[in-house]
Amino acid sequence: MENVKLNTGSYLIEQLNTSQKNDNVFECLSCGACSSSCSWFEGEGGPVPRQIIKMASLGLDDLLIESGMLWDCLLCNRCTQNCPMGITMGNVVRKGRSHPKAGKLISKDIQNGIKTRLTTGDVNGLTREEFIETIEWMSEEFADETGDPDATIPYDQKGAEFLYLPNPRELGINLLHLTAMAKLFWMSDQSWTMSSRHTDVTNWGYFVSDDEIARKMALMVIEPAEKLGIKTLVLSECGHGYHVLKVLAEKLIGRKPEFEVLSMPEFVLKFVKQGKIKLDKNAHPYPVAYHDPCNLGRKSGLYDAPRELLALCCKEVVELVPNRENAICCGGGGGMLQDSKSKPKRMITGKAKADQIIASGVQNLAAPCLSCHRQLGEISNHFKLGVKVYTVAEIASSSLILPGDKKMV
Amino acid sequence: MESNAKNKSVIIIGGGVAGMAAAETLNDSGVNVHLIEKNDHLGGNTFSWACMATGSCRHCSACLSHEMADKLHRMTCVNTHLNSEILEIDKNQKKYTVRLKGDLDQSIETDKIILATGFTPINPDGLIGEIHKKNKYVITTVELNHILKNNAIGEYFPDTSCPKIGFIQCVGSRNREKGRDYCSQVCCKISLRHINKLMHLYPGAKISLFYIDLQVIGKEIRAEFDSLSDNVDLIQGVPIEIFNNKMDKKLSVIREDDESGSRIADHFDMMVLSVGIAAHENTTGLMGKLKISSDQWGFINDKSLPARKDIYVAGCAAGPVDILTAKQQGINCAKKIIQCFNPEKPGRAKGLIAIIGDGNEARKTASAALNEGYDVWMFGLSNKKESPKKGIHYIHDTKLISVKGAAGNFAVLYKNSQKLKQENFTAIIVAEPVKTSPAGQKTNLTPDVLYSLEDFSNILEKNPEDIPAAIVFWLDYSKPEFKTFSRKALVHAIELAKAGKQVSFIMNKMLVHGLSGQKLYDKARKLGIKFLRTASPGDVSVKKENGKILFDLKEKILKNLIISFESDWLIIPEHISPSKQNPMIAALLKENIDVEGYLQSANVRHRLTNSPRKGIFYTGSCHDETDDQDQNIEIEIILSSINDIACKKTMGLSCGIEINTKKCRKCLTCFRACPHGAIVLNADMKPYIVPEACFSCGLCLSSCPALAIESKEFSDESYINSASEDKVIIFACERSGALAAGPIEKNLRVNIQKVPCVCRISKNILMKTLEKGAEKIILAGCHTDNCRSLKGSQTAQTRAKILGRLPGINDSNIIFYPVAANESKKFEQFLAQEVLSK
């Protein structure tokens, strides 16, 4: 049996025993509600939420760091969704991750990614020249594809209404996704642009809970956007990117950004409602299940827009049970997907999701987050679910009804 | 004197236990009552609750609502308005005019209003609410009550005699996020009784109890908990999600494994959600109409009631209370109103009250009695010299010899300074102190660092500068903590933490009873006070080194880990046990002690403060787990009952039973048999009945070998004749069997005769009824420990057994069947089997 010393003045106690709600671990009643609803569910290993809180509140910082629970946690907040005292696990765990002694726990991939992002502006190290080269080439392809010489993928256009912030994958291994998004902008008839100054919706400073890094990364997006004078920043489908830029940004940078933030599905829905974008329900004549990304739903409160949009693109939106506030994490959250060695673990954390998908009986799944999208695809392969996974905007893009003057070639 | 009250009227809103108790009390003083009930029957929530008896009564009190409802229908001053709701309330100069929706279209003028609107059981929501809606095996405690009341639990387990059942506590309560950060108090007790009942019905059942802090509080609850804890899987931590495994139809929850601390799945056949108590939804509108306000949880804030004292609140409308307390509060309200109508100037020497005990609780009682105009004699063991106080007579170092007589005129014989003395009293209040002894000897700590809570309180009050920097409170040191100590320790801890001290608790659970208990606990945690949870006291080891106390503790939530910390002082609440005097006092008063050795039997017919012997009362920790506030309420109700005796309000009532002095052979069987001390001896050693003390149970009558005791109303002949030509006759107690038979009587078409107590049915009646041709006599009486005359139903059971052994009679001819008022279904099934099949 291990022996530890109670500590009343630990780093975590200082950080967490604030008087504000949500991260005061001292408020914990030890009711155990969290432990019964952790996305890891049954079995050895993984975090035990109540123990995390207990360790933090007793000042057992070292024990918590050594337990490995900090980086096993998916930051999905499912456990504390129903906390009677309103404690938010994500805040607690992230504070633990930023503990001075916890630096060694951060995976090499995340450390490198952060370094690259801070030096180059892109988590994959894409340079400005490479970005411009890629976009110009894609833009030509896009004009050819649409048969509309005016159909371009613009960048650095001052005074444009909308600025699209992609996921780095869209400029690397998943160029088709960027084209699909461009098609939606093109159909919306709005002035839009991308920026060669910032090409990355992600913010890994959030995962390591280093506010300084998170602030820098947020500013890398916000300041150039403000210089361009855009009105609305449209984010590629990314859970934590949305949570940081929509919910946390103001607190991180100490002021409100001078533009509105929308996720891609919100943007599309807005112009569908204005009649600018027209969608064909028959493009996907089968039911599609909707997955609530934790960062979008539980943590940022976005539940309805992606569902509404999806409903216009397919036969029927099927709900996974439980969903919305109590949705089950894809199993790849909390920085797990950003660690290339995490796959074996992710196939454990993804089990509950796989069960949910099987229970729903559907063959097609949509998630408005490229991380969830990747994890769900891997779950489908691993558990042999045979499910096709899309993002919501991707489905919207392939449901577009093109007017006569904008015929595809 | 009563004429004042007779022109007055009171509206009671809510026909639950509190409302009915108030109505009954007002009726007895001749006050006109309008009892408004929105349902089609009286009785409130508890009316649909099941009997928890398992062989003997478990004191849940649910059956009382049936008895009260039944009585009310026959009361002359009570107008019951069923299916009615309040439409409008107008206040004129002194009166209220109330218009009802439903029952009648007229308006009622009233002087005072009692709000007894009760509660709504919390409807489970969230994840657990979803599965509760969809799955018939996920039920609330309310639904379990209905199932048990309908005797239908078997339908849920057709294939197994060993069902696995999980109880989840605090569903809906103790949740700040949902605006209900209070403990509903009653649910832990309800679950313990339900578990006991299920174990009785299914001895092979495996039951798990998931809880946050089990509230083991109240009379006999510690014993109840003790006897269950070996057979029940006690799991700290409440699941909020139940999974439905479609394959094997089991329900699963995830919990932490006790050994490894990992998450494991636990599978069940049924999950019971122990739902809390919320303010009744209709109360809000009512409060608006009356311009009174609610507390933050929606319960009526009694501090917002008008100062002119024309609106009162009783029962769960003001916050969660158990059935007996709700009843008590109803009576209290009514008594206050009666006093308002008939103000009595406190004068000297209304009468003499004897108080047994000389501790703080006894003193408090004495002062209160003095204030009400009584002279008080306190009988105690201590030989401390008291400075005399006018009106209070201290009798020290006393040995009580006997208590004779009855309410209004007790003769107490005692020995003091080697002399026998006697004094007469109007009433007797028992406030014997409990035995307290310092706890924590096993720690081997020296007295300079180990303190009892009481000693620590004194230091905190008088020499706070002596208190060092680090303090540890250790609760549940030897057995479940008493609620007063938990509360006191918390209050002290908060004060210390505010003064910058470092405070920690070692505990098995925190008692957060009372509406504000949870908030106090929350405050303490927020101040940084550490709460370390242990599975048992053995999980802590303590030693002293270099003037500091070093603790090694196995924390319950962090498995396989010993946490070390130090402090300067350790505070352990004193150990409490029943006074050694209790058996002697109980014997003198002809009462029982409870299973834990405290005074007053747990029988709900006489609690909270009464005894089967009218004029004898109990208050304080000698009989129940009370705190200061509880005792204030007890004293209030006791003194108003004594007032009725002193003013001879109960005098002159005829009990209908008389001893025929010509036939009496002075054998004194009746004197010994009377459970209520209502038979006393005159100077010639002849027994006579004191009508004021008599409950008319008829036990004396049926026990008298000389057949010298007679009742005009309930003569032997009337019972024998009532059997007429029927083959089957049921003699049913008016408080249990007859009420249970009520709803089924029409269908069964059997001869059911209501009796004041089954003990009234003498051997003579039984024999003559058989002689007349009856083939089966069923004595349907109360469960053991639920009989108002204590041993009445047991006496009937014994008679049935003895007669069944006589030649020519067999044991199926006379059957004793224990049944409660709320066991209609069970009774019906029994009768169908026993009677109708023949």
Side-chain angles (χ1 to χ4, degrees), chain B residues 501-527:
Chain B
K501 309 280 184 195
Q502 194 182 306
V503 189
S504 314
F505 275 76
I506 300 168
M507 64 183 196
N508 174 258
K509 64 185 177 304
M510 179 50 70
L511 297 179
V512 286
H513 66 285
L515 264 184
S516 58
Q518 174 73 42
K519 278 193 145 351
L520 203 64
Y521 179 39
D522 288 352
K523 192 172 174 187
R525 294 198 314 283
K526 206 156 192 170
L527 280 166

PDB file of all heavy atoms in Angstrom, chain B residues 501-527:
ATOM      1  N   LYS B 501      -7.701  28.589  10.930  1.00  0.00           N
ATOM      2  CA  LYS B 501      -7.180  27.299  11.391  1.00  0.00           C
ATOM      3  C   LYS B 501      -7.281  26.277  10.262  1.00  0.00           C
ATOM      4  O   LYS B 501      -8.105  26.411   9.351  1.00  0.00           O
ATOM      5  CB  LYS B 501      -7.993  26.781  12.585  1.00  0.00           C
ATOM      6  CG  LYS B 501      -8.160  27.776  13.707  1.00  0.00           C
ATOM      7  CD  LYS B 501      -6.944  27.832  14.581  1.00  0.00           C
ATOM      8  CE  LYS B 501      -7.184  28.764  15.745  1.00  0.00           C
ATOM      9  NZ  LYS B 501      -5.953  29.135  16.426  1.00  0.00           N
ATOM     10  N   GLN B 502      -6.456  25.258  10.415  1.00  0.00           N
ATOM     11  CA  GLN B 502      -6.496  24.191   9.430  1.00  0.00           C
ATOM     12  C   GLN B 502      -7.355  23.071   9.991  1.00  0.00           C
ATOM     13  O   GLN B 502      -7.014  22.473  11.012  1.00  0.00           O
ATOM     14  CB  GLN B 502      -5.080  23.714   9.221  1.00  0.00           C
ATOM     15  CG  GLN B 502      -4.905  22.864   8.008  1.00  0.00           C
ATOM     16  CD  GLN B 502      -3.481  22.401   7.934  1.00  0.00           C
ATOM     17  OE1 GLN B 502      -2.556  23.201   7.973  1.00  0.00           O
ATOM     18  NE2 GLN B 502      -3.300  21.101   7.874  1.00  0.00           N
ATOM     19  N   VAL B 503      -8.480  22.803   9.343  1.00  0.00           N
ATOM     20  CA  VAL B 503      -9.453  21.874   9.916  1.00  0.00           C
ATOM     21  C   VAL B 503      -9.690  20.698   8.976  1.00  0.00           C
ATOM     22  O   VAL B 503      -9.815  20.882   7.760  1.00  0.00           O
ATOM     23  CB  VAL B 503     -10.802  22.579  10.182  1.00  0.00           C
ATOM     24  CG1 VAL B 503     -11.726  21.674  10.968  1.00  0.00           C
ATOM     25  CG2 VAL B 503     -10.582  23.894  10.905  1.00  0.00           C
ATOM     26  N   SER B 504      -9.732  19.508   9.538  1.00  0.00           N
ATOM     27  CA  SER B 504     -10.059  18.323   8.733  1.00  0.00           C
ATOM     28  C   SER B 504     -11.073  17.470   9.483  1.00  0.00           C
ATOM     29  O   SER B 504     -11.177  17.542  10.704  1.00  0.00           O
ATOM     30  CB  SER B 504      -8.823  17.466   8.479  1.00  0.00           C
ATOM     31  OG  SER B 504      -7.742  18.258   8.092  1.00  0.00           O
ATOM     32  N   PHE B 505     -11.802  16.684   8.718  1.00  0.00           N
ATOM     33  CA  PHE B 505     -12.741  15.714   9.291  1.00  0.00           C
ATOM     34  C   PHE B 505     -12.351  14.314   8.854  1.00  0.00           C
ATOM     35  O   PHE B 505     -11.966  14.100   7.711  1.00  0.00           O
ATOM     36  CB  PHE B 505     -14.166  15.974   8.780  1.00  0.00           C
ATOM     37  CG  PHE B 505     -14.922  17.005   9.556  1.00  0.00           C
ATOM     38  CD1 PHE B 505     -14.640  18.345   9.380  1.00  0.00           C
ATOM     39  CD2 PHE B 505     -15.905  16.628  10.457  1.00  0.00           C
ATOM     40  CE1 PHE B 505     -15.344  19.314  10.099  1.00  0.00           C
ATOM     41  CE2 PHE B 505     -16.611  17.582  11.169  1.00  0.00           C
ATOM     42  CZ  PHE B 505     -16.331  18.928  10.997  1.00  0.00           C
ATOM     43  N   ILE B 506     -12.472  13.390   9.789  1.00  0.00           N
ATOM     44  CA  ILE B 506     -12.448  11.978   9.428  1.00  0.00           C
ATOM     45  C   ILE B 506     -13.876  11.502   9.637  1.00  0.00           C
ATOM     46  O   ILE B 506     -14.467  11.764  10.683  1.00  0.00           O
ATOM     47  CB  ILE B 506     -11.499  11.180  10.335  1.00  0.00           C
ATOM     48  CG1 ILE B 506     -10.084  11.726  10.209  1.00  0.00           C
ATOM     49  CG2 ILE B 506     -11.556   9.697  10.000  1.00  0.00           C
ATOM     50  CD1 ILE B 506      -9.141  11.185  11.271  1.00  0.00           C
ATOM     51  N   MET B 507     -14.439  10.856   8.634  1.00  0.00           N
ATOM     52  CA  MET B 507     -15.840  10.453   8.783  1.00  0.00           C
ATOM     53  C   MET B 507     -16.154   9.287   7.869  1.00  0.00           C
ATOM     54  O   MET B 507     -15.430   8.993   6.932  1.00  0.00           O
ATOM     55  CB  MET B 507     -16.753  11.625   8.413  1.00  0.00           C
ATOM     56  CG  MET B 507     -16.604  12.020   6.944  1.00  0.00           C
ATOM     57  SD  MET B 507     -17.600  13.440   6.513  1.00  0.00           S
ATOM     58  CE  MET B 507     -17.572  13.335   4.720  1.00  0.00           C
ATOM     59  N   ASN B 508     -17.259   8.647   8.196  1.00  0.00           N
ATOM     60  CA  ASN B 508     -17.771   7.627   7.300  1.00  0.00           C
ATOM     61  C   ASN B 508     -18.835   8.233   6.403  1.00  0.00           C
ATOM     62  O   ASN B 508     -19.041   7.836   5.274  1.00  0.00           O
ATOM     63  CB  ASN B 508     -18.354   6.479   8.117  1.00  0.00           C
ATOM     64  CG  ASN B 508     -19.036   5.450   7.252  1.00  0.00           C
ATOM     65  OD1 ASN B 508     -20.253   5.419   7.163  1.00  0.00           O
ATOM     66  ND2 ASN B 508     -18.230   4.652   6.565  1.00  0.00           N
ATOM     67  N   LYS B 509     -19.502   9.249   6.925  1.00  0.00           N
ATOM     68  CA  LYS B 509     -20.556   9.940   6.172  1.00  0.00           C
ATOM     69  C   LYS B 509     -20.807  11.263   6.848  1.00  0.00           C
ATOM     70  O   LYS B 509     -20.423  11.460   8.001  1.00  0.00           O
ATOM     71  CB  LYS B 509     -21.841   9.118   6.192  1.00  0.00           C
ATOM     72  CG  LYS B 509     -22.323   9.027   7.619  1.00  0.00           C
ATOM     73  CD  LYS B 509     -23.500   8.166   7.808  1.00  0.00           C
ATOM     74  CE  LYS B 509     -23.831   8.108   9.282  1.00  0.00           C
ATOM     75  NZ  LYS B 509     -22.714   7.659  10.122  1.00  0.00           N
ATOM     76  N   MET B 510     -21.426  12.182   6.146  1.00  0.00           N
ATOM     77  CA  MET B 510     -21.805  13.442   6.778  1.00  0.00           C
ATOM     78  C   MET B 510     -23.325  13.465   6.904  1.00  0.00           C
ATOM     79  O   MET B 510     -24.026  13.202   5.934  1.00  0.00           O
ATOM     80  CB  MET B 510     -21.308  14.626   5.939  1.00  0.00           C
ATOM     81  CG  MET B 510     -21.668  15.982   6.496  1.00  0.00           C
ATOM     82  SD  MET B 510     -21.275  16.254   8.239  1.00  0.00           S
ATOM     83  CE  MET B 510     -19.483  16.315   8.181  1.00  0.00           C
ATOM     84  N   LEU B 511     -23.803  13.744   8.103  1.00  0.00           N
ATOM     85  CA  LEU B 511     -25.250  13.860   8.285  1.00  0.00           C
ATOM     86  C   LEU B 511     -25.658  15.276   7.866  1.00  0.00           C
ATOM     87  O   LEU B 511     -25.250  16.247   8.481  1.00  0.00           O
ATOM     88  CB  LEU B 511     -25.630  13.596   9.746  1.00  0.00           C
ATOM     89  CG  LEU B 511     -25.310  12.185  10.244  1.00  0.00           C
ATOM     90  CD1 LEU B 511     -25.707  12.025  11.698  1.00  0.00           C
ATOM     91  CD2 LEU B 511     -26.003  11.128   9.399  1.00  0.00           C
ATOM     92  N   VAL B 512     -26.425  15.354   6.780  1.00  0.00           N
ATOM     93  CA  VAL B 512     -26.788  16.666   6.235  1.00  0.00           C
ATOM     94  C   VAL B 512     -28.289  16.898   6.369  1.00  0.00           C
ATOM     95  O   VAL B 512     -28.884  17.644   5.619  1.00  0.00           O
ATOM     96  CB  VAL B 512     -26.378  16.798   4.755  1.00  0.00           C
ATOM     97  CG1 VAL B 512     -24.896  16.976   4.632  1.00  0.00           C
ATOM     98  CG2 VAL B 512     -26.839  15.588   3.955  1.00  0.00           C
ATOM     99  N   HIS B 513     -28.883  16.217   7.357  1.00  0.00           N
ATOM    100  CA  HIS B 513     -30.316  16.331   7.613  1.00  0.00           C
ATOM    101  C   HIS B 513     -30.719  17.797   7.783  1.00  0.00           C
ATOM    102  O   HIS B 513     -29.896  18.642   8.109  1.00  0.00           O
ATOM    103  CB  HIS B 513     -30.633  15.596   8.904  1.00  0.00           C
ATOM    104  CG  HIS B 513     -29.991  16.278  10.072  1.00  0.00           C
ATOM    105  ND1 HIS B 513     -28.646  16.176  10.316  1.00  0.00           N
ATOM    106  CD2 HIS B 513     -30.489  17.140  10.981  1.00  0.00           C
ATOM    107  CE1 HIS B 513     -28.360  16.936  11.360  1.00  0.00           C
ATOM    108  NE2 HIS B 513     -29.445  17.517  11.783  1.00  0.00           N
ATOM    109  N   GLY B 514     -31.993  18.027   7.627  1.00  0.00           N
ATOM    110  CA  GLY B 514     -32.507  19.393   7.840  1.00  0.00           C
ATOM    111  C   GLY B 514     -32.286  20.191   6.576  1.00  0.00           C
ATOM    112  O   GLY B 514     -31.326  19.955   5.850  1.00  0.00           O
ATOM    113  N   LEU B 515     -33.162  21.148   6.330  1.00  0.00           N
ATOM    114  CA  LEU B 515     -33.069  21.875   5.072  1.00  0.00           C
ATOM    115  C   LEU B 515     -31.714  22.551   4.897  1.00  0.00           C
ATOM    116  O   LEU B 515     -31.187  22.648   3.808  1.00  0.00           O
ATOM    117  CB  LEU B 515     -34.178  22.928   5.011  1.00  0.00           C
ATOM    118  CG  LEU B 515     -35.444  22.503   4.252  1.00  0.00           C
ATOM    119  CD1 LEU B 515     -36.420  23.647   4.185  1.00  0.00           C
ATOM    120  CD2 LEU B 515     -35.130  22.002   2.855  1.00  0.00           C
ATOM    121  N   SER B 516     -31.127  23.024   5.995  1.00  0.00           N
ATOM    122  CA  SER B 516     -29.908  23.810   5.844  1.00  0.00           C
ATOM    123  C   SER B 516     -28.634  22.983   6.008  1.00  0.00           C
ATOM    124  O   SER B 516     -27.541  23.504   5.841  1.00  0.00           O
ATOM    125  CB  SER B 516     -29.924  24.955   6.850  1.00  0.00           C
ATOM    126  OG  SER B 516     -30.046  24.401   8.141  1.00  0.00           O
ATOM    127  N   GLY B 517     -28.787  21.701   6.333  1.00  0.00           N
ATOM    128  CA  GLY B 517     -27.608  20.868   6.597  1.00  0.00           C
ATOM    129  C   GLY B 517     -26.650  20.793   5.423  1.00  0.00           C
ATOM    130  O   GLY B 517     -25.437  20.885   5.569  1.00  0.00           O
ATOM    131  N   GLN B 518     -27.220  20.629   4.234  1.00  0.00           N
ATOM    132  CA  GLN B 518     -26.379  20.512   3.050  1.00  0.00           C
ATOM    133  C   GLN B 518     -25.597  21.800   2.814  1.00  0.00           C
ATOM    134  O   GLN B 518     -24.422  21.784   2.499  1.00  0.00           O
ATOM    135  CB  GLN B 518     -27.262  20.201   1.832  1.00  0.00           C
ATOM    136  CG  GLN B 518     -26.536  20.188   0.512  1.00  0.00           C
ATOM    137  CD  GLN B 518     -25.645  18.971   0.350  1.00  0.00           C
ATOM    138  OE1 GLN B 518     -26.034  17.873   0.702  1.00  0.00           O
ATOM    139  NE2 GLN B 518     -24.450  19.171  -0.156  1.00  0.00           N
ATOM    140  N   LYS B 519     -26.266  22.926   3.001  1.00  0.00           N
ATOM    141  CA  LYS B 519     -25.612  24.209   2.752  1.00  0.00           C
ATOM    142  C   LYS B 519     -24.441  24.426   3.715  1.00  0.00           C
ATOM    143  O   LYS B 519     -23.400  24.972   3.348  1.00  0.00           O
ATOM    144  CB  LYS B 519     -26.618  25.350   2.891  1.00  0.00           C
ATOM    145  CG  LYS B 519     -27.445  25.565   1.640  1.00  0.00           C
ATOM    146  CD  LYS B 519     -28.175  26.868   1.728  1.00  0.00           C
ATOM    147  CE  LYS B 519     -28.355  27.623   0.468  1.00  0.00           C
ATOM    148  NZ  LYS B 519     -27.752  27.296  -0.748  1.00  0.00           N
ATOM    149  N   LEU B 520     -24.637  23.975   4.940  1.00  0.00           N
ATOM    150  CA  LEU B 520     -23.590  24.115   5.943  1.00  0.00           C
ATOM    151  C   LEU B 520     -22.358  23.287   5.540  1.00  0.00           C
ATOM    152  O   LEU B 520     -21.217  23.735   5.614  1.00  0.00           O
ATOM    153  CB  LEU B 520     -24.148  23.639   7.292  1.00  0.00           C
ATOM    154  CG  LEU B 520     -23.488  24.142   8.551  1.00  0.00           C
ATOM    155  CD1 LEU B 520     -23.663  25.648   8.651  1.00  0.00           C
ATOM    156  CD2 LEU B 520     -24.097  23.475   9.775  1.00  0.00           C
ATOM    157  N   TYR B 521     -22.628  22.091   5.103  1.00  0.00           N
ATOM    158  CA  TYR B 521     -21.562  21.183   4.655  1.00  0.00           C
ATOM    159  C   TYR B 521     -20.853  21.767   3.424  1.00  0.00           C
ATOM    160  O   TYR B 521     -19.626  21.743   3.326  1.00  0.00           O
ATOM    161  CB  TYR B 521     -22.202  19.819   4.352  1.00  0.00           C
ATOM    162  CG  TYR B 521     -21.282  18.731   3.858  1.00  0.00           C
ATOM    163  CD1 TYR B 521     -19.989  18.567   4.366  1.00  0.00           C
ATOM    164  CD2 TYR B 521     -21.717  17.823   2.886  1.00  0.00           C
ATOM    165  CE1 TYR B 521     -19.166  17.542   3.897  1.00  0.00           C
ATOM    166  CE2 TYR B 521     -20.907  16.798   2.426  1.00  0.00           C
ATOM    167  CZ  TYR B 521     -19.632  16.667   2.927  1.00  0.00           C
ATOM    168  OH  TYR B 521     -18.833  15.661   2.474  1.00  0.00           O
ATOM    169  N   ASP B 522     -21.640  22.321   2.518  1.00  0.00           N
ATOM    170  CA  ASP B 522     -21.065  22.948   1.324  1.00  0.00           C
ATOM    171  C   ASP B 522     -20.139  24.100   1.718  1.00  0.00           C
ATOM    172  O   ASP B 522     -19.048  24.260   1.164  1.00  0.00           O
ATOM    173  CB  ASP B 522     -22.171  23.500   0.407  1.00  0.00           C
ATOM    174  CG  ASP B 522     -22.944  22.393  -0.300  1.00  0.00           C
ATOM    175  OD1 ASP B 522     -22.522  21.227  -0.182  1.00  0.00           O
ATOM    176  OD2 ASP B 522     -23.957  22.687  -0.944  1.00  0.00           O
ATOM    177  N   LYS B 523     -20.609  24.879   2.670  1.00  0.00           N
ATOM    178  CA  LYS B 523     -19.837  26.031   3.116  1.00  0.00           C
ATOM    179  C   LYS B 523     -18.500  25.565   3.695  1.00  0.00           C
ATOM    180  O   LYS B 523     -17.444  26.140   3.407  1.00  0.00           O
ATOM    181  CB  LYS B 523     -20.652  26.765   4.186  1.00  0.00           C
ATOM    182  CG  LYS B 523     -20.134  28.124   4.554  1.00  0.00           C
ATOM    183  CD  LYS B 523     -21.169  28.776   5.478  1.00  0.00           C
ATOM    184  CE  LYS B 523     -20.685  30.092   6.023  1.00  0.00           C
ATOM    185  NZ  LYS B 523     -21.640  30.598   7.026  1.00  0.00           N
ATOM    186  N   ALA B 524     -18.564  24.515   4.487  1.00  0.00           N
ATOM    187  CA  ALA B 524     -17.354  23.997   5.122  1.00  0.00           C
ATOM    188  C   ALA B 524     -16.346  23.537   4.072  1.00  0.00           C
ATOM    189  O   ALA B 524     -15.153  23.838   4.160  1.00  0.00           O
ATOM    190  CB  ALA B 524     -17.713  22.842   6.053  1.00  0.00           C
ATOM    191  N   ARG B 525     -16.816  22.846   3.065  1.00  0.00           N
ATOM    192  CA  ARG B 525     -15.894  22.357   2.032  1.00  0.00           C
ATOM    193  C   ARG B 525     -15.275  23.514   1.273  1.00  0.00           C
ATOM    194  O   ARG B 525     -14.096  23.530   0.964  1.00  0.00           O
ATOM    195  CB  ARG B 525     -16.617  21.414   1.062  1.00  0.00           C
ATOM    196  CG  ARG B 525     -17.072  20.121   1.696  1.00  0.00           C
ATOM    197  CD  ARG B 525     -17.387  19.046   0.668  1.00  0.00           C
ATOM    198  NE  ARG B 525     -18.195  19.515  -0.442  1.00  0.00           N
ATOM    199  CZ  ARG B 525     -19.496  19.735  -0.397  1.00  0.00           C
ATOM    200  NH1 ARG B 525     -20.158  19.518   0.705  1.00  0.00           N
ATOM    201  NH2 ARG B 525     -20.141  20.153  -1.468  1.00  0.00           N
ATOM    202  N   LYS B 526     -16.114  24.494   0.999  1.00  0.00           N
ATOM    203  CA  LYS B 526     -15.634  25.638   0.234  1.00  0.00           C
ATOM    204  C   LYS B 526     -14.560  26.423   1.004  1.00  0.00           C
ATOM    205  O   LYS B 526     -13.681  27.035   0.409  1.00  0.00           O
ATOM    206  CB  LYS B 526     -16.805  26.547  -0.120  1.00  0.00           C
ATOM    207  CG  LYS B 526     -16.540  27.352  -1.358  1.00  0.00           C
ATOM    208  CD  LYS B 526     -17.819  27.773  -2.015  1.00  0.00           C
ATOM    209  CE  LYS B 526     -17.516  28.321  -3.387  1.00  0.00           C
ATOM    210  NZ  LYS B 526     -18.702  28.537  -4.160  1.00  0.00           N
ATOM    211  N   LEU B 527     -14.673  26.375   2.319  1.00  0.00           N
ATOM    212  CA  LEU B 527     -13.671  27.066   3.136  1.00  0.00           C
ATOM    213  C   LEU B 527     -12.345  26.300   3.185  1.00  0.00           C
ATOM    214  O   LEU B 527     -11.397  26.722   3.828  1.00  0.00           O
ATOM    215  CB  LEU B 527     -14.196  27.244   4.565  1.00  0.00           C
ATOM    216  CG  LEU B 527     -15.161  28.405   4.776  1.00  0.00           C
ATOM    217  CD1 LEU B 527     -15.855  28.269   6.111  1.00  0.00           C
ATOM    218  CD2 LEU B 527     -14.426  29.736   4.688  1.00  0.00           C
TER     219      LEU B 527
END
